[in-house]
Amino acid sequence: MFNIFHNSNLFKWIEKLIYFINSIFFILLLVALSFALILSPADYLQGDSVRIMYVHVPAAWIGLASFSFIALLSLINFIFKIKYFSLITKSIAPIGLMFTCIAIITGSIWGQPTWGTFWAWDARIISMSILAFFYFLFICVHKLFSDQEIADRISSIIAIFGAINIPIIKYSVNWWNTLHQPASIKILGSSTIHSSMLLPLFLMFFVLILYCALIFLMKYKTEIIRIKKKNLKRL
Amino acid sequence: MLTTKVKKRAYLLAATLTVSVVAIFFILKSLSSNILYFKSPTEIKNSNDTNFNKKIRVGGMVKKNSLEIDSEEIKFTITDFENEIMVSYSGTVPNLFTEEKGVVAEGKLQDKKFFIADRILAKHDENYMPPELKKIMKENVK
Amino acid sequence: MIKDLILMNGYGVYVWSSFIITLFTCVAVYLKTLKTLKKYEKEFASEIEKLSVEKKKIVLKNSKIAPQVLSSYNKTL
């Protein structure tokens, strides 16, 4: 049924994709960085500190998106028991944790010159820290339980319940008074970021997504080799 | 295709998820005054149990033409376009602190209309644009 | 101009530190992932070397992945 997900076919594609991403990555990174740091204008109010947005916002998006994806696959895996899905979620989680932490750290660096403080206990920052905690739990479970099946089940449950936090993060700035500003880019309606600043934002997002894909593919490849090695021993 | 085992798992999950979403909703609702990072002038006006010795945060917009800066203190008015609170503060302010921009002041209420702050944070909005564009927009408004 | 780029009207410290932190973590995670991948490839290759000649033939014939892993391991040598 899941023929495309079958490891032996996938392996060839993973090799090709890793090669492809490696070959275009540096040029794209240079273009994105030059737009983000040099070519884009400074903000009328925040000045050059607005450039922190070009790493902060994509990192936060990736943190949120990858957790949503993990939760979705975990949900399907929990109900239908599809083994390959847990390999995928396991390979995504560390990248998600890394970008969530980057979002929190760059956010606090951005907070100092704009808000006047590194840290504020407002709803957006608390809920984002909870997300990092859920990632941490998810990864810990895989490290702690050597029995693959038990680890899969517990981590799926963590991901599914952790997903309740996602809409809370998204709407925290609308539901409560927060120091964090409301969303600039809305799912419906126009964005409140000028197009000359949207371009570097999306370029950086694209580059970081490519980076995520690269790490994910390498991790997934490692997992496949690990399984095959186990199978060799059984011969 | 759906076996009873699969259905059982799905129902179990759906039930526990619903229960926990409802539980979290009520927890957040009861905690909502603690989750609020700051209170607006209207919320302060309407609250009955105002504690004048406790540190609180008040937030809103810095009212136009209300900012007075002299060598000893900074005075301004926080407004949410319904009610206002006068704020007195001495110290440094963040770069983004100006009139008609968001502000959060941390300190103690003297009475319901007067607030002494010991820390000022700037809250900016979600609009980002180059300075030239802002100039053009301002001229158009005039 | 380069001075402007580094100072960024006083915001340079914040902007550059956040970009450098991001870049640094990305590179570190990439290198760590690459190292683990190479480690497993190497272990896999040595596992195969240890097998007897007949078994090796069977594995390489029946598994599609084993030859691919070996070739990607040999490429990096």
Side-chain angles (χ1 to χ4, degrees), chain A residues 42-46 50 75 78-81 114-115 117 120-121 161 177-178 180-182 184 192-194, chain B residues 2 6 9 13 20 35-38 43 94 96 101 104 121-124 126-131 133-134:
Chain A
D43 186 57
Y44 76 100
L45 183 68
Q46 300 189 27
V50 77
L75 185 80
F78 186 82
I79 297 173
F80 297 102
K81 304 274 173 206
T114 50
W115 299 342
T117 178
W121 289 107
F161 284 91
N177 295 338
T178 56
H180 195 284
Q181 67 278 14
S184 298
T192 54
I193 299 179
H194 187 254
Chain B
L2 293 176
V6 166
R9 281 200 293 264
L13 200 65
S20 46
I35 295 171
L36 291 186
Y37 190 68
F38 57 83
E43 280 162 342
L96 298 194
K101 290 287 166 204
V104 176
L121 303 175
K123 174 177 161 68
H124 61 86
E126 70 274 31
N127 297 304
Y128 300 89
M129 62 188 107
L133 198 80
K134 183 70 186 173

Side-chain angles (χ1 to χ4, degrees), chain B:
Chain B
M1 196 191 121
L2 293 176
T3 62
T4 42
K5 249 187 175 174
V6 166
K7 271 187 187 165
K8 223 181 193 175
R9 281 200 293 264
Y11 287 140
L12 185 74
L13 200 65
T16 36
L17 262 184
T18 326
V19 169
S20 46
V21 167
V22 171
I24 286 171
F25 176 78
F26 281 110
I27 291 170
L28 288 180
K29 194 132 203 204
S30 64
L31 283 176
S32 72
S33 62
N34 293 327
I35 295 171
L36 291 186
Y37 190 68
F38 57 83
K39 288 177 173 168
S40 67
T42 308
E43 280 162 342
I44 285 174
K45 197 190 168 203
N46 295 339
S47 75
N48 299 319
D49 52 338
T50 315
N51 189 343
F52 293 104
N53 292 318
K54 209 180 137 201
K55 255 196 189 178
I56 59 161
R57 296 193 194 94
V58 180
M61 287 283 174
V62 181
K63 200 184 171 191
K64 202 177 177 182
N65 302 327
S66 75
L67 187 60
E68 283 173 42
I69 301 176
D70 59 41
S71 58
E72 289 196 350
E73 62 172 352
I74 299 168
K75 274 185 180 169
F76 59 95
T77 307
I78 292 180
T79 173
D80 58 4
F81 305 112
E82 284 171 27
N83 292 287
E84 295 174 351
I85 285 185
M86 288 257 296
V87 179
S88 163
Y89 171 72
S90 52
T92 51
V93 290
N95 293 346
L96 298 194
F97 174 78
T98 45
E99 287 181 357
E100 292 185 274
K101 290 287 166 204
V103 66
V104 176
E106 204 176 276
K108 285 174 186 166
L109 272 177
Q110 296 306 107
D111 59 57
K112 286 205 169 182
K113 285 278 154 202
F114 190 65
F115 187 84
I116 295 185
D118 47 38
R119 201 152 83 123
I120 297 284
L121 303 175
K123 174 177 161 68
H124 61 86
D125 58 18
E126 70 274 31
N127 297 304
Y128 300 89
M129 62 188 107
E132 304 84 38
L133 198 80
K134 183 70 186 173
K135 248 188 224 161
I136 296 167
M137 277 176 71
K138 257 189 181 165
E139 276 159 17
N140 288 349
V141 170
K142 276 172 197 166

Side-chain angles (χ1 to χ4, degrees), chain A residues 11 46 48 98 211 229 235, chain C residues 9 11 26 29 43 59 68:
Chain A
F11 201 86
Q46 300 189 27
D48 282 303
M98 179 188 120
Y211 171 81
K229 209 184 96 196
L235 270 176
Chain C
N9 301 317
Y11 291 120
C26 284
V29 167
E43 280 178 16
V59 169
Q68 286 172 9

